[in-house]
PDB file of all heavy atoms in Angstrom:
ATOM      1  N   THR U   8     -11.706  96.961  51.696  1.00 93.00           N
ATOM      2  CA  THR U   8     -11.652  95.691  52.453  1.00 93.00           C
ATOM      3  C   THR U   8     -11.954  95.924  53.935  1.00 93.00           C
ATOM      4  O   THR U   8     -11.162  95.591  54.825  1.00 93.00           O
ATOM      5  CB  THR U   8     -10.285  94.997  52.285  1.00 93.00           C
ATOM      6  OG1 THR U   8      -9.243  95.876  52.768  1.00 93.00           O
ATOM      7  CG2 THR U   8     -10.033  94.633  50.837  1.00 93.00           C
ATOM      8  N   LEU U   9     -13.123  96.492  54.186  1.00 92.00           N
ATOM      9  CA  LEU U   9     -13.531  96.833  55.555  1.00 92.00           C
ATOM     10  C   LEU U   9     -14.169  95.628  56.249  1.00 92.00           C
ATOM     11  O   LEU U   9     -14.779  94.773  55.600  1.00 92.00           O
ATOM     12  CB  LEU U   9     -14.522  97.992  55.531  1.00 92.00           C
ATOM     13  CG  LEU U   9     -13.985  99.308  54.953  1.00 92.00           C
ATOM     14  CD1 LEU U   9     -15.099 100.337  54.848  1.00 92.00           C
ATOM     15  CD2 LEU U   9     -12.847  99.839  55.822  1.00 92.00           C
ATOM     16  N   PRO U  10     -14.059  95.558  57.566  1.00 90.00           N
ATOM     17  CA  PRO U  10     -14.632  94.423  58.308  1.00 90.00           C
ATOM     18  C   PRO U  10     -16.127  94.575  58.581  1.00 90.00           C
ATOM     19  O   PRO U  10     -16.726  93.698  59.215  1.00 90.00           O
ATOM     20  CB  PRO U  10     -13.834  94.444  59.622  1.00 90.00           C
ATOM     21  CG  PRO U  10     -13.502  95.891  59.829  1.00 90.00           C
ATOM     22  CD  PRO U  10     -13.261  96.452  58.446  1.00 90.00           C
ATOM     23  N   TRP U  11     -16.736  95.675  58.163  1.00 88.00           N
ATOM     24  CA  TRP U  11     -18.150  95.931  58.476  1.00 88.00           C
ATOM     25  C   TRP U  11     -19.033  95.690  57.248  1.00 88.00           C
ATOM     26  O   TRP U  11     -18.560  95.729  56.108  1.00 88.00           O
ATOM     27  CB  TRP U  11     -18.332  97.380  58.957  1.00 88.00           C
ATOM     28  CG  TRP U  11     -17.470  97.709  60.132  1.00 88.00           C
ATOM     29  CD1 TRP U  11     -17.590  97.237  61.406  1.00 88.00           C
ATOM     30  CD2 TRP U  11     -16.334  98.577  60.144  1.00 88.00           C
ATOM     31  NE1 TRP U  11     -16.616  97.759  62.215  1.00 88.00           N
ATOM     32  CE2 TRP U  11     -15.820  98.588  61.464  1.00 88.00           C
ATOM     33  CE3 TRP U  11     -15.679  99.347  59.173  1.00 88.00           C
ATOM     34  CZ2 TRP U  11     -14.709  99.344  61.831  1.00 88.00           C
ATOM     35  CZ3 TRP U  11     -14.582 100.096  59.526  1.00 88.00           C
ATOM     36  CH2 TRP U  11     -14.102 100.092  60.847  1.00 88.00           C
ATOM     37  N   THR U  12     -20.309  95.492  57.497  1.00 87.00           N
ATOM     38  CA  THR U  12     -21.265  95.319  56.400  1.00 87.00           C
ATOM     39  C   THR U  12     -21.706  96.688  55.888  1.00 87.00           C
ATOM     40  O   THR U  12     -21.544  97.711  56.560  1.00 87.00           O
ATOM     41  CB  THR U  12     -22.512  94.563  56.875  1.00 87.00           C
ATOM     42  OG1 THR U  12     -23.190  95.359  57.855  1.00 87.00           O
ATOM     43  CG2 THR U  12     -22.141  93.214  57.483  1.00 87.00           C
ATOM     44  N   GLU U  13     -22.264  96.708  54.674  1.00 88.00           N
ATOM     45  CA  GLU U  13     -22.794  97.963  54.137  1.00 88.00           C
ATOM     46  C   GLU U  13     -23.943  98.487  55.001  1.00 88.00           C
ATOM     47  O   GLU U  13     -24.155  99.691  55.108  1.00 88.00           O
ATOM     48  CB  GLU U  13     -23.259  97.783  52.691  1.00 88.00           C
ATOM     49  CG  GLU U  13     -24.477  96.906  52.484  1.00 88.00           C
ATOM     50  CD  GLU U  13     -24.121  95.443  52.324  1.00 88.00           C
ATOM     51  OE1 GLU U  13     -22.937  95.079  52.556  1.00 88.00           O
ATOM     52  OE2 GLU U  13     -25.025  94.669  51.965  1.00 88.00           O
ATOM     53  N   GLN U  14     -24.688  97.567  55.652  1.00 86.00           N
ATOM     54  CA  GLN U  14     -25.785  97.979  56.521  1.00 86.00           C
ATOM     55  C   GLN U  14     -25.246  98.757  57.723  1.00 86.00           C
ATOM     56  O   GLN U  14     -25.787  99.806  58.097  1.00 86.00           O
ATOM     57  CB  GLN U  14     -26.569  96.750  56.995  1.00 86.00           C
ATOM     58  CG  GLN U  14     -27.817  97.087  57.802  1.00 86.00           C
ATOM     59  CD  GLN U  14     -28.563  95.826  58.208  1.00 86.00           C
ATOM     60  OE1 GLN U  14     -27.965  94.759  58.387  1.00 86.00           O
ATOM     61  NE2 GLN U  14     -29.870  95.933  58.331  1.00 86.00           N
ATOM     62  N   PHE U  15     -24.143  98.264  58.299  1.00 88.00           N
ATOM     63  CA  PHE U  15     -23.540  98.941  59.446  1.00 88.00           C
ATOM     64  C   PHE U  15     -23.065 100.337  59.050  1.00 88.00           C
ATOM     65  O   PHE U  15     -23.299 101.316  59.770  1.00 88.00           O
ATOM     66  CB  PHE U  15     -22.364  98.115  59.974  1.00 88.00           C
ATOM     67  CG  PHE U  15     -21.585  98.808  61.061  1.00 88.00           C
ATOM     68  CD1 PHE U  15     -21.970  98.708  62.391  1.00 88.00           C
ATOM     69  CD2 PHE U  15     -20.457  99.576  60.760  1.00 88.00           C
ATOM     70  CE1 PHE U  15     -21.261  99.360  63.390  1.00 88.00           C
ATOM     71  CE2 PHE U  15     -19.740 100.234  61.753  1.00 88.00           C
ATOM     72  CZ  PHE U  15     -20.145 100.119  63.072  1.00 88.00           C
ATOM     73  N   LEU U  16     -22.397 100.454  57.909  1.00 92.00           N
ATOM     74  CA  LEU U  16     -21.871 101.753  57.486  1.00 92.00           C
ATOM     75  C   LEU U  16     -23.000 102.736  57.155  1.00 92.00           C
ATOM     76  O   LEU U  16     -22.911 103.927  57.484  1.00 92.00           O
ATOM     77  CB  LEU U  16     -20.966 101.577  56.273  1.00 92.00           C
ATOM     78  CG  LEU U  16     -19.625 100.880  56.539  1.00 92.00           C
ATOM     79  CD1 LEU U  16     -18.893 100.630  55.228  1.00 92.00           C
ATOM     80  CD2 LEU U  16     -18.755 101.710  57.481  1.00 92.00           C
ATOM     81  N   ALA U  17     -24.065 102.238  56.521  1.00 91.00           N
ATOM     82  CA  ALA U  17     -25.193 103.108  56.209  1.00 91.00           C
ATOM     83  C   ALA U  17     -25.819 103.658  57.486  1.00 91.00           C
ATOM     84  O   ALA U  17     -26.188 104.839  57.569  1.00 91.00           O
ATOM     85  CB  ALA U  17     -26.231 102.346  55.384  1.00 91.00           C
ATOM     86  N   GLN U  18     -25.926 102.808  58.497  1.00 87.00           N
ATOM     87  CA  GLN U  18     -26.506 103.252  59.765  1.00 87.00           C
ATOM     88  C   GLN U  18     -25.567 104.210  60.507  1.00 87.00           C
ATOM     89  O   GLN U  18     -26.013 105.174  61.133  1.00 87.00           O
ATOM     90  CB  GLN U  18     -26.827 102.040  60.641  1.00 87.00           C
ATOM     91  CG  GLN U  18     -27.993 101.223  60.108  1.00 87.00           C
ATOM     92  CD  GLN U  18     -28.123  99.887  60.798  1.00 87.00           C
ATOM     93  OE1 GLN U  18     -27.212  99.435  61.498  1.00 87.00           O
ATOM     94  NE2 GLN U  18     -29.250  99.224  60.579  1.00 87.00           N
ATOM     95  N   GLU U  19     -24.260 103.960  60.436  1.00 90.00           N
ATOM     96  CA  GLU U  19     -23.297 104.866  61.069  1.00 90.00           C
ATOM     97  C   GLU U  19     -23.361 106.250  60.406  1.00 90.00           C
ATOM     98  O   GLU U  19     -23.315 107.283  61.082  1.00 90.00           O
ATOM     99  CB  GLU U  19     -21.883 104.285  60.946  1.00 90.00           C
ATOM    100  CG  GLU U  19     -20.820 105.053  61.725  1.00 90.00           C
ATOM    101  CD  GLU U  19     -20.858 104.789  63.230  1.00 90.00           C
ATOM    102  OE1 GLU U  19     -21.671 103.939  63.681  1.00 90.00           O
ATOM    103  OE2 GLU U  19     -20.080 105.437  63.965  1.00 90.00           O
ATOM    104  N   PHE U  20     -23.489 106.256  59.098  1.00 93.00           N
ATOM    105  CA  PHE U  20     -23.595 107.515  58.358  1.00 93.00           C
ATOM    106  C   PHE U  20     -24.884 108.248  58.740  1.00 93.00           C
ATOM    107  O   PHE U  20     -24.877 109.464  58.968  1.00 93.00           O
ATOM    108  CB  PHE U  20     -23.566 107.222  56.861  1.00 93.00           C
ATOM    109  CG  PHE U  20     -23.551 108.446  55.988  1.00 93.00           C
ATOM    110  CD1 PHE U  20     -22.504 109.360  56.041  1.00 93.00           C
ATOM    111  CD2 PHE U  20     -24.592 108.701  55.107  1.00 93.00           C
ATOM    112  CE1 PHE U  20     -22.491 110.494  55.236  1.00 93.00           C
ATOM    113  CE2 PHE U  20     -24.585 109.828  54.285  1.00 93.00           C
ATOM    114  CZ  PHE U  20     -23.533 110.729  54.358  1.00 93.00           C
ATOM    115  N   ARG U  21     -25.970 107.503  58.840  1.00 90.00           N
ATOM    116  CA  ARG U  21     -27.274 108.090  59.139  1.00 90.00           C
ATOM    117  C   ARG U  21     -27.356 108.598  60.581  1.00 90.00           C
ATOM    118  O   ARG U  21     -27.745 109.739  60.833  1.00 90.00           O
ATOM    119  CB  ARG U  21     -28.380 107.044  58.897  1.00 90.00           C
ATOM    120  CG  ARG U  21     -29.777 107.499  59.297  1.00 90.00           C
ATOM    121  CD  ARG U  21     -30.782 106.355  59.144  1.00 90.00           C
ATOM    122  NE  ARG U  21     -32.094 106.754  59.612  1.00 90.00           N
ATOM    123  CZ  ARG U  21     -33.030 107.325  58.858  1.00 90.00           C
ATOM    124  NH1 ARG U  21     -32.778 107.565  57.583  1.00 90.00           N
ATOM    125  NH2 ARG U  21     -34.200 107.650  59.365  1.00 90.00           N
ATOM    126  N   HIS U  22     -26.984 107.741  61.538  1.00 88.00           N
ATOM    127  CA  HIS U  22     -27.221 108.055  62.946  1.00 88.00           C
ATOM    128  C   HIS U  22     -26.137 108.923  63.576  1.00 88.00           C
ATOM    129  O   HIS U  22     -26.429 109.722  64.466  1.00 88.00           O
ATOM    130  CB  HIS U  22     -27.356 106.759  63.763  1.00 88.00           C
ATOM    131  CG  HIS U  22     -28.527 105.924  63.371  1.00 88.00           C
ATOM    132  ND1 HIS U  22     -29.794 106.438  63.223  1.00 88.00           N
ATOM    133  CD2 HIS U  22     -28.625 104.600  63.072  1.00 88.00           C
ATOM    134  CE1 HIS U  22     -30.627 105.468  62.871  1.00 88.00           C
ATOM    135  NE2 HIS U  22     -29.934 104.353  62.763  1.00 88.00           N
ATOM    136  N   VAL U  23     -24.909 108.770  63.120  1.00 90.00           N
ATOM    137  CA  VAL U  23     -23.808 109.500  63.755  1.00 90.00           C
ATOM    138  C   VAL U  23     -23.348 110.684  62.899  1.00 90.00           C
ATOM    139  O   VAL U  23     -23.368 111.832  63.348  1.00 90.00           O
ATOM    140  CB  VAL U  23     -22.621 108.555  64.056  1.00 90.00           C
ATOM    141  CG1 VAL U  23     -21.506 109.325  64.768  1.00 90.00           C
ATOM    142  CG2 VAL U  23     -23.085 107.382  64.925  1.00 90.00           C
ATOM    143  N   ILE U  24     -22.950 110.420  61.668  1.00 92.00           N
ATOM    144  CA  ILE U  24     -22.402 111.484  60.808  1.00 92.00           C
ATOM    145  C   ILE U  24     -23.465 112.557  60.530  1.00 92.00           C
ATOM    146  O   ILE U  24     -23.280 113.737  60.854  1.00 92.00           O
ATOM    147  CB  ILE U  24     -21.878 110.908  59.471  1.00 92.00           C
ATOM    148  CG1 ILE U  24     -20.914 109.738  59.714  1.00 92.00           C
ATOM    149  CG2 ILE U  24     -21.224 112.024  58.652  1.00 92.00           C
ATOM    150  CD1 ILE U  24     -19.665 110.074  60.454  1.00 92.00           C
ATOM    151  N   LEU U  25     -24.575 112.124  59.931  1.00 93.00           N
ATOM    152  CA  LEU U  25     -25.637 113.090  59.623  1.00 93.00           C
ATOM    153  C   LEU U  25     -26.445 113.447  60.867  1.00 93.00           C
ATOM    154  O   LEU U  25     -26.909 114.582  61.009  1.00 93.00           O
ATOM    155  CB  LEU U  25     -26.563 112.522  58.545  1.00 93.00           C
ATOM    156  CG  LEU U  25     -25.943 112.331  57.157  1.00 93.00           C
ATOM    157  CD1 LEU U  25     -26.930 111.643  56.216  1.00 93.00           C
ATOM    158  CD2 LEU U  25     -25.510 113.672  56.574  1.00 93.00           C
ATOM    159  N   GLY U  26     -26.621 112.477  61.765  1.00 89.00           N
ATOM    160  CA  GLY U  26     -27.404 112.730  62.972  1.00 89.00           C
ATOM    161  C   GLY U  26     -26.802 113.814  63.845  1.00 89.00           C
ATOM    162  O   GLY U  26     -27.525 114.634  64.430  1.00 89.00           O
ATOM    163  N   HIS U  27     -25.479 113.842  63.936  1.00 90.00           N
ATOM    164  CA  HIS U  27     -24.795 114.841  64.771  1.00 90.00           C
ATOM    165  C   HIS U  27     -24.146 115.943  63.939  1.00 90.00           C
ATOM    166  O   HIS U  27     -23.362 116.734  64.477  1.00 90.00           O
ATOM    167  CB  HIS U  27     -23.749 114.151  65.654  1.00 90.00           C
ATOM    168  CG  HIS U  27     -24.343 113.221  66.682  1.00 90.00           C
ATOM    169  ND1 HIS U  27     -24.895 113.672  67.859  1.00 90.00           N
ATOM    170  CD2 HIS U  27     -24.484 111.875  66.677  1.00 90.00           C
ATOM    171  CE1 HIS U  27     -25.350 112.633  68.558  1.00 90.00           C
ATOM    172  NE2 HIS U  27     -25.117 111.532  67.866  1.00 90.00           N
ATOM    173  N   ASP U  28     -24.444 115.960  62.657  1.00 92.00           N
ATOM    174  CA  ASP U  28     -23.929 116.997  61.754  1.00 92.00           C
ATOM    175  C   ASP U  28     -22.397 117.044  61.797  1.00 92.00           C
ATOM    176  O   ASP U  28     -21.778 118.112  61.901  1.00 92.00           O
ATOM    177  CB  ASP U  28     -24.520 118.366  62.128  1.00 92.00           C
ATOM    178  CG  ASP U  28     -24.375 119.380  61.003  1.00 92.00           C
ATOM    179  OD1 ASP U  28     -24.234 118.956  59.840  1.00 92.00           O
ATOM    180  OD2 ASP U  28     -24.384 120.594  61.286  1.00 92.00           O
ATOM    181  N   VAL U  29     -21.783 115.871  61.702  1.00 93.00           N
ATOM    182  CA  VAL U  29     -20.325 115.757  61.744  1.00 93.00           C
ATOM    183  C   VAL U  29     -19.752 116.176  60.389  1.00 93.00           C
ATOM    184  O   VAL U  29     -20.168 115.653  59.351  1.00 93.00           O
ATOM    185  CB  VAL U  29     -19.909 114.314  62.087  1.00 93.00           C
ATOM    186  CG1 VAL U  29     -18.405 114.148  61.972  1.00 93.00           C
ATOM    187  CG2 VAL U  29     -20.387 113.947  63.494  1.00 93.00           C
ATOM    188  N   ARG U  30     -18.760 117.090  60.427  1.00 93.00           N
ATOM    189  CA  ARG U  30     -18.245 117.635  59.163  1.00 93.00           C
ATOM    190  C   ARG U  30     -16.818 117.197  58.828  1.00 93.00           C
ATOM    191  O   ARG U  30     -16.393 117.344  57.687  1.00 93.00           O
ATOM    192  CB  ARG U  30     -18.284 119.170  59.206  1.00 93.00           C
ATOM    193  CG  ARG U  30     -19.647 119.785  59.525  1.00 93.00           C
ATOM    194  CD  ARG U  30     -20.628 119.596  58.395  1.00 93.00           C
ATOM    195  NE  ARG U  30     -21.928 120.185  58.671  1.00 93.00           N
ATOM    196  CZ  ARG U  30     -22.357 121.340  58.184  1.00 93.00           C
ATOM    197  NH1 ARG U  30     -21.590 122.054  57.388  1.00 93.00           N
ATOM    198  NH2 ARG U  30     -23.568 121.781  58.475  1.00 93.00           N
ATOM    199  N   ASP U  31     -16.051 116.695  59.813  1.00 93.00           N
ATOM    200  CA  ASP U  31     -14.663 116.314  59.509  1.00 93.00           C
ATOM    201  C   ASP U  31     -14.227 115.161  60.401  1.00 93.00           C
ATOM    202  O   ASP U  31     -14.927 114.740  61.313  1.00 93.00           O
ATOM    203  CB  ASP U  31     -13.717 117.513  59.670  1.00 93.00           C
ATOM    204  CG  ASP U  31     -13.814 118.165  61.034  1.00 93.00           C
ATOM    205  OD1 ASP U  31     -13.771 117.437  62.065  1.00 93.00           O
ATOM    206  OD2 ASP U  31     -13.954 119.407  61.107  1.00 93.00           O
ATOM    207  N   ARG U  32     -13.022 114.662  60.115  1.00 93.00           N
ATOM    208  CA  ARG U  32     -12.496 113.501  60.817  1.00 93.00           C
ATOM    209  C   ARG U  32     -12.378 113.737  62.325  1.00 93.00           C
ATOM    210  O   ARG U  32     -12.729 112.880  63.137  1.00 93.00           O
ATOM    211  CB  ARG U  32     -11.132 113.114  60.232  1.00 93.00           C
ATOM    212  CG  ARG U  32     -10.554 111.805  60.786  1.00 93.00           C
ATOM    213  CD  ARG U  32      -9.124 111.617  60.302  1.00 93.00           C
ATOM    214  NE  ARG U  32      -9.059 111.565  58.842  1.00 93.00           N
ATOM    215  CZ  ARG U  32      -9.056 110.435  58.134  1.00 93.00           C
ATOM    216  NH1 ARG U  32      -9.101 109.271  58.753  1.00 93.00           N
ATOM    217  NH2 ARG U  32      -8.981 110.471  56.815  1.00 93.00           N
ATOM    218  N   GLU U  33     -11.868 114.903  62.712  1.00 93.00           N
ATOM    219  CA  GLU U  33     -11.686 115.188  64.136  1.00 93.00           C
ATOM    220  C   GLU U  33     -13.024 115.212  64.863  1.00 93.00           C
ATOM    221  O   GLU U  33     -13.150 114.722  65.993  1.00 93.00           O
ATOM    222  CB  GLU U  33     -10.951 116.523  64.318  1.00 93.00           C
ATOM    223  CG  GLU U  33      -9.501 116.508  63.861  1.00 93.00           C
ATOM    224  CD  GLU U  33      -8.703 115.413  64.558  1.00 93.00           C
ATOM    225  OE1 GLU U  33      -8.849 115.267  65.804  1.00 93.00           O
ATOM    226  OE2 GLU U  33      -7.954 114.707  63.869  1.00 93.00           O
ATOM    227  N   ALA U  34     -14.029 115.800  64.235  1.00 93.00           N
ATOM    228  CA  ALA U  34     -15.349 115.840  64.859  1.00 93.00           C
ATOM    229  C   ALA U  34     -15.917 114.431  65.000  1.00 93.00           C
ATOM    230  O   ALA U  34     -16.580 114.102  65.992  1.00 93.00           O
ATOM    231  CB  ALA U  34     -16.293 116.711  64.037  1.00 93.00           C
ATOM    232  N   TYR U  35     -15.654 113.572  64.036  1.00 93.00           N
ATOM    233  CA  TYR U  35     -16.152 112.203  64.119  1.00 93.00           C
ATOM    234  C   TYR U  35     -15.451 111.433  65.233  1.00 93.00           C
ATOM    235  O   TYR U  35     -16.084 110.624  65.928  1.00 93.00           O
ATOM    236  CB  TYR U  35     -15.971 111.492  62.782  1.00 93.00           C
ATOM    237  CG  TYR U  35     -16.430 110.052  62.803  1.00 93.00           C
ATOM    238  CD1 TYR U  35     -17.732 109.726  63.180  1.00 93.00           C
ATOM    239  CD2 TYR U  35     -15.565 109.016  62.469  1.00 93.00           C
ATOM    240  CE1 TYR U  35     -18.155 108.403  63.223  1.00 93.00           C
ATOM    241  CE2 TYR U  35     -15.974 107.692  62.498  1.00 93.00           C
ATOM    242  CZ  TYR U  35     -17.275 107.393  62.885  1.00 93.00           C
ATOM    243  OH  TYR U  35     -17.694 106.087  62.935  1.00 93.00           O
ATOM    244  N   ARG U  36     -14.156 111.674  65.404  1.00 92.00           N
ATOM    245  CA  ARG U  36     -13.436 111.004  66.494  1.00 92.00           C
ATOM    246  C   ARG U  36     -14.051 111.318  67.857  1.00 92.00           C
ATOM    247  O   ARG U  36     -14.050 110.486  68.766  1.00 92.00           O
ATOM    248  CB  ARG U  36     -11.965 111.422  66.492  1.00 92.00           C
ATOM    249  CG  ARG U  36     -11.121 110.777  65.402  1.00 92.00           C
ATOM    250  CD  ARG U  36      -9.717 111.330  65.439  1.00 92.00           C
ATOM    251  NE  ARG U  36      -8.827 110.662  64.483  1.00 92.00           N
ATOM    252  CZ  ARG U  36      -7.590 111.057  64.228  1.00 92.00           C
ATOM    253  NH1 ARG U  36      -7.090 112.134  64.840  1.00 92.00           N
ATOM    254  NH2 ARG U  36      -6.855 110.398  63.361  1.00 92.00           N
ATOM    255  N   ALA U  37     -14.586 112.549  67.990  1.00 90.00           N
ATOM    256  CA  ALA U  37     -15.141 112.988  69.278  1.00 90.00           C
ATOM    257  C   ALA U  37     -16.648 112.786  69.377  1.00 90.00           C
ATOM    258  O   ALA U  37     -17.237 113.013  70.435  1.00 90.00           O
ATOM    259  CB  ALA U  37     -14.810 114.467  69.495  1.00 90.00           C
ATOM    260  N   ALA U  38     -17.280 112.363  68.306  1.00 87.00           N
ATOM    261  CA  ALA U  38     -18.747 112.312  68.267  1.00 87.00           C
ATOM    262  C   ALA U  38     -19.309 111.229  69.176  1.00 87.00           C
ATOM    263  O   ALA U  38     -18.734 110.147  69.328  1.00 87.00           O
ATOM    264  CB  ALA U  38     -19.209 112.068  66.834  1.00 87.00           C
ATOM    265  N   SER U  39     -20.453 111.526  69.776  1.00 84.00           N
ATOM    266  CA  SER U  39     -21.178 110.530  70.571  1.00 84.00           C
ATOM    267  C   SER U  39     -21.793 109.494  69.645  1.00 84.00           C
ATOM    268  O   SER U  39     -22.330 109.833  68.588  1.00 84.00           O
ATOM    269  CB  SER U  39     -22.276 111.210  71.380  1.00 84.00           C
ATOM    270  OG  SER U  39     -23.166 110.249  71.928  1.00 84.00           O
ATOM    271  N   ARG U  40     -21.699 108.247  70.049  1.00 83.00           N
ATOM    272  CA  ARG U  40     -22.316 107.168  69.279  1.00 83.00           C
ATOM    273  C   ARG U  40     -23.414 106.504  70.108  1.00 83.00           C
ATOM    274  O   ARG U  40     -23.636 105.304  70.047  1.00 83.00           O
ATOM    275  CB  ARG U  40     -21.271 106.154  68.833  1.00 83.00           C
ATOM    276  CG  ARG U  40     -20.215 106.731  67.884  1.00 83.00           C
ATOM    277  CD  ARG U  40     -19.212 105.682  67.431  1.00 83.00           C
ATOM    278  NE  ARG U  40     -19.802 104.681  66.556  1.00 83.00           N
ATOM    279  CZ  ARG U  40     -20.068 103.433  66.915  1.00 83.00           C
ATOM    280  NH1 ARG U  40     -19.811 103.027  68.171  1.00 83.00           N
ATOM    281  NH2 ARG U  40     -20.601 102.584  66.072  1.00 83.00           N
ATOM    282  N   ARG U  41     -24.126 107.318  70.880  1.00 77.00           N
ATOM    283  CA  ARG U  41     -25.217 106.811  71.725  1.00 77.00           C
ATOM    284  C   ARG U  41     -26.223 106.034  70.868  1.00 77.00           C
ATOM    285  O   ARG U  41     -26.654 106.500  69.820  1.00 77.00           O
ATOM    286  CB  ARG U  41     -25.925 107.974  72.415  1.00 77.00           C
ATOM    287  CG  ARG U  41     -27.167 107.577  73.218  1.00 77.00           C
ATOM    288  CD  ARG U  41     -27.778 108.797  73.879  1.00 77.00           C
ATOM    289  NE  ARG U  41     -29.045 108.472  74.507  1.00 77.00           N
ATOM    290  CZ  ARG U  41     -30.231 108.651  73.934  1.00 77.00           C
ATOM    291  NH1 ARG U  41     -30.304 109.151  72.709  1.00 77.00           N
ATOM    292  NH2 ARG U  41     -31.335 108.345  74.572  1.00 77.00           N
ATOM    293  N   GLY U  42     -26.573 104.828  71.338  1.00 72.00           N
ATOM    294  CA  GLY U  42     -27.518 103.999  70.603  1.00 72.00           C
ATOM    295  C   GLY U  42     -26.867 103.010  69.665  1.00 72.00           C
ATOM    296  O   GLY U  42     -27.547 102.139  69.117  1.00 72.00           O
TER     297      GLY U  42
END
């Protein structure tokens, strides 16, 4: 029951998680979300 669309999550996964090679929760908390 998330407030975001599947499009938003797919882009977050693509641009931030995979884009910055984020491997865990702590790294994601600190990750840059430029763009």
Side-chain angles (χ1 to χ4, degrees):
T8 60
L9 298 174
W11 304 291
T12 64
E13 68 272 10
Q14 186 179 29
F15 174 86
L16 290 174
Q18 290 168 346
E19 187 76 4
F20 185 62
R21 175 185 176 90
H22 297 311
V23 182
I24 308 297
L25 293 175
H27 294 281
D28 198 23
V29 173
R30 305 290 181 102
D31 55 49
R32 187 188 300 265
E33 292 304 315
Y35 178 56
R36 284 176 175 173
S39 167
R40 297 182 68 253
R41 174 179 173 264

